[in-house]
């Protein structure tokens, strides 16, 4: 009898090890798959941005998008990942309530010269988590990129992309997208799908840059009225927007914590980054309702295919912060409000003589803030964390968080771009802008068979 018990115990131990190994590799694969899905976001931004540019600037627009992606990977490795773990409680870098923050913790898990940041067969999590967060970082730069097309220097843009992607947004993530974040523990801030910590920060950083960069030649008339400067390929822009939406599934997939691992919040169910429960099923309802609500509202408001597809993205951004909490009909209404707000805000920005070529300030900045505030309106009273005595979600806390995200984006965006402007690194010379950036910055032409022998298209001012 004792031999049978011993044999069963040994078999049970083997089975437990096998199940643990299966869960570990499944979790690793789950996050590994979020990365190529999020690369679709960047393929989308590439197509979207080149399509929104005139043909004389198409390749230059695409190149700066790819360079931002490339430069953010190493700078996020050396700085951004460390910032996320070091600064949740503020600039003191002290540990937070659950202990996964502060200087000592960051040195242990995120030092670029430490053992955690490299190949280790005993660690199935750090690399894939780093990869997912690096994609979030690159997304912030891609959000900014389209607004600045056709007149920004590549070197200036690359510097701005590094500042935004590897320093600014990740500080906001540490504060509001980490269970030890001071916005979470002190104010009950809730931003599950990063409406604030990614979209609003990137949108308001972009606004700061646009003020210093100035409008494209010919965009505004002396009386302040605006001229439409159409991109050379609306189909490419629309395909790009749809690819961004496809990639958003990977983005939101990367916002959940897989169950059953030592670093997980629990077993049997996914959790948010705050430790509250969530399911992929619930997310699916609300992602699709957000897509539909935003697209319908923007189409009704504008009857413009560009704004319709932007509205679909804006609808998802509107519901992203509370994606884990909403009832689908509520998500549809919230998305419709976001889709209706977006073109109105874009029109107001244009009246201020700010040339936002793709409407990122409205789509990501203001709609991102709406997504954060909507949680306070429609989901107040839910627990912000799983810890005993943790704060609950409130409208006040969400408004405070929204203001922090807007300021954290705008102030660095304005100051860094102002410094670049003073140094002559922000904007291309007027002659280069008129000729087209592809001719002066890129050694090949986008469409040589069609445009090689023709002069560059003129702007309204020319």
């Amino acid at each position: 009898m004792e031999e049978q018990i011993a044999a069963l115990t040994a078999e049970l131990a083997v089975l437990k090890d096998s199940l643990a190994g299966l869960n570990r590799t499944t979790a690793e694969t789950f996050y590994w798959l979020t990365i190529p899905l999020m690369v679709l976001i960047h393929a989308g931004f590439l197509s979207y941005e080149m399509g929104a540019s005139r043909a004389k600037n198409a390749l230059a627009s695409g190149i700066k998008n790819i360079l931002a992606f490339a430069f953010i990977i190493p700078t996020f490795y050396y700085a951004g990942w460390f910032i996320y773990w070091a600064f949740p409680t503020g600039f003191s870098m002290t540990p937070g309530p659950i202990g996964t923050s502060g200087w000592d913790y960051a040195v242990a898990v995120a030092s670029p010269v430490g053992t955690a940041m490299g190949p280790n067969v005993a660690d199935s999590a750090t690399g894939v988590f780093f990869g997912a967060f690096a994609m979030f970082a690159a997304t912030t730069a891609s959000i900014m990129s389209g607004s600045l097309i056709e007149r920004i220097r590549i070197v200036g843009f690359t510097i701005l992309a590094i500042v935004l992607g590897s320093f600014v947004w990740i500080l906001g993530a540490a504060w509001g997208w980490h269970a030890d974040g001071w916005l979470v523990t002190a104010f009950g801030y809730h931003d599950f799908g990063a409406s604030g910590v990614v979209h609003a920060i990137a949108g308001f950083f972009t606004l700061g840059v646009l003020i210093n960069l100035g409008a494209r030649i010919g965009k505004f008339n002396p009386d302040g009225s605006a001229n439409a400067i159409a991109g050379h390929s609306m189909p490419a822009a629309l395909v790009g927007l749809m690819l961004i939406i496809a990639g958003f599934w990977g983005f939101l997939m990367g916002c959940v914590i897989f169950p059953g691992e030592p670093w997980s919040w629990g077993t049997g169910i996914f959790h948010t980054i705050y430790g509250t429960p969530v399911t992929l099923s619930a997310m699916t309802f609300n992602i699709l309702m957000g897509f539909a609500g935003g697209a319908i509202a923007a189409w009704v408001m504008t009857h413009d295919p560009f704004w319709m597809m932007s509205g679909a993205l804006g609808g998802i951004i509107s519901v992203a912060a509370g994606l884990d909490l909403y009832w689908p009909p509520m998500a549809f209404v919230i998305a419709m409000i976001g889709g209706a707000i977006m073109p109105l805000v874009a029109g107001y920005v244009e009246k201020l003589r700010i040339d936002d070529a793709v409407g990122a300030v409205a789509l990501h900045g203001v709609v991102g803030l709406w997504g954060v505030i909507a949680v306070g309106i429609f989901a107040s009273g839910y627990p912000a964390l799983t810890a005993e005595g943790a704060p609950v979600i409130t409208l006040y806390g969400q408004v405070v968080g929204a203001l922090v995200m807007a300021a954290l984006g705008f102030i660095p965006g304005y100051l860094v771009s102002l410094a670049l402007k003073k140094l002559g690194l922000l904007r291309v010379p007027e002659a280069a802008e008129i000729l087209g950036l592809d001719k002066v910055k890129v050694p090949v032409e986008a469409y040589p068979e069609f445009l090689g022998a023709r002069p560059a298209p003129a702007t309204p001012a020319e």
Side-chain angles (χ1 to χ4, degrees):
M1 185 70 174
E2 290 180 358
E3 292 179 354
Q4 290 177 324
I5 292 174
L8 287 172
T9 302
E11 288 180 14
L12 180 60
V14 171
L15 181 60
K16 286 178 67 176
D17 285 344
S18 297
L19 288 174
L22 177 61
N23 196 83
R24 182 172 62 253
T25 54
T26 302
E28 183 179 19
T29 304
F30 179 89
Y31 292 108
W32 192 78
L33 289 173
T34 68
I35 296 168
L37 282 173
M38 280 194 273
V39 171
L40 285 179
I41 293 175
H42 302 287
F45 273 117
L46 187 66
S47 178
Y48 167 45
E49 185 173 331
M50 289 194 294
S53 299
R54 286 166 288 183
K56 65 179 181 177
N57 298 308
L59 286 179
S61 295
I63 284 170
K64 71 179 177 58
N65 207 299
I66 296 170
L67 284 174
F69 187 100
F71 274 95
I72 282 171
I73 302 302
T75 55
F76 192 78
Y77 179 90
Y78 283 107
W81 192 230
F82 187 89
I83 290 169
Y84 180 71
W85 298 106
F87 290 95
T89 58
F91 294 107
S92 67
M93 292 188 285
T94 54
I98 67 170
T100 59
S101 57
W103 174 265
D104 290 339
Y105 189 84
V107 169
V109 304
S111 169
V113 296
T115 56
M117 294 296 285
N120 182 351
V121 294
D123 182 352
S124 300
T126 301
V128 287
F129 273 124
F130 162 79
F133 269 74
M135 293 302 102
F136 295 139
T139 297
T140 63
S142 292
I143 288 168
M144 172 181 64
S145 181
S147 291
L148 315 178
I149 55 174
E150 303 192 309
R151 75 271 203 202
I152 193 165
R153 288 182 179 270
I154 290 178
V155 64
F157 171 75
T158 303
I159 293 169
L160 288 165
I162 291 170
V163 170
L164 173 58
S166 292
F167 294 91
V168 172
W169 93 270
I170 195 62
L171 185 61
W175 293 350
W177 212 33
H178 188 297
D180 274 345
W182 66 266
L183 280 174
V184 182
T185 57
F187 294 97
Y189 180 76
H190 187 89
D191 190 7
F192 166 69
S195 296
V197 302
V198 168
H199 296 282
I201 287 178
F204 279 91
F205 189 99
T206 301
L207 177 61
V209 176
L210 285 170
I211 291 171
N212 288 310
L213 180 64
R216 288 168 290 178
I217 295 171
K219 175 62 180 177
F220 295 107
N221 299 312
D223 63 359
S225 59
N227 297 302
I229 300 180
H232 81 283
S233 177
M234 180 61 72
L238 294 181
V239 169
L241 284 163
M242 185 60 83
L243 283 172
I244 294 170
I245 290 166
F248 229 100
W249 291 85
F251 184 105
L252 295 167
M253 205 174 147
C255 297
V256 303
I257 305 299
F258 200 90
E261 290 301 295
W263 40 262
S264 303
W265 286 100
T267 59
I269 189 172
F270 289 102
H271 290 79
T272 70
I273 212 159
Y274 310 108
T276 53
V278 65
T279 67
L280 299 182
S281 177
M283 289 169 57
T284 300
F285 279 122
N286 290 332
I287 294 169
L288 292 173
M289 291 295 262
F291 171 97
I296 291 169
W299 175 254
V300 169
M301 292 288 292
T302 67
H303 286 280
D304 184 311
F306 173 81
W307 285 113
M308 176 189 67
M309 284 306 304
S310 296
L313 181 56
I316 298 174
I317 295 169
S318 297
V319 301
L323 198 72
D324 54 319
L325 300 172
Y326 296 141
W327 184 248
M330 181 185 295
F332 184 77
V333 171
I334 293 168
M336 288 195 74
I337 294 171
I341 288 172
M342 183 188 57
L344 297 176
V345 173
Y348 178 72
V349 169
E350 189 172 76
K351 286 182 180 179
L352 295 176
R353 296 177 68 96
I354 295 172
D355 182 12
D356 182 354
V358 297
V361 173
L363 171 56
H364 297 277
V366 175
V367 172
L369 292 188
W370 160 241
V372 169
I373 293 169
V375 175
I377 297 171
F378 297 102
S380 287
Y382 281 92
L385 290 164
T386 56
E388 185 176 347
V392 297
I393 298 167
T394 65
L395 178 58
Y396 173 73
Q398 294 301 110
V399 171
V400 169
L403 293 174
V404 169
M405 297 304 160
L408 183 60
F410 179 80
I411 294 170
Y414 181 82
L415 293 178
V416 175
S417 62
L418 179 62
L420 291 171
K421 182 178 181 180
K422 298 289 186 183
L423 293 170
L425 297 175
L426 188 63
R427 185 159 181 154
V428 300
E430 181 177 335
E433 184 177 345
I434 292 172
L435 183 63
L437 301 189
D438 284 7
K439 286 190 176 295
V440 296
K441 295 293 182 183
V442 185
V444 294
E445 294 179 342
Y447 305 102
E449 296 89 348
F450 301 100
L451 298 177
R454 302 181 188 179
T459 66
E462 297 161 35

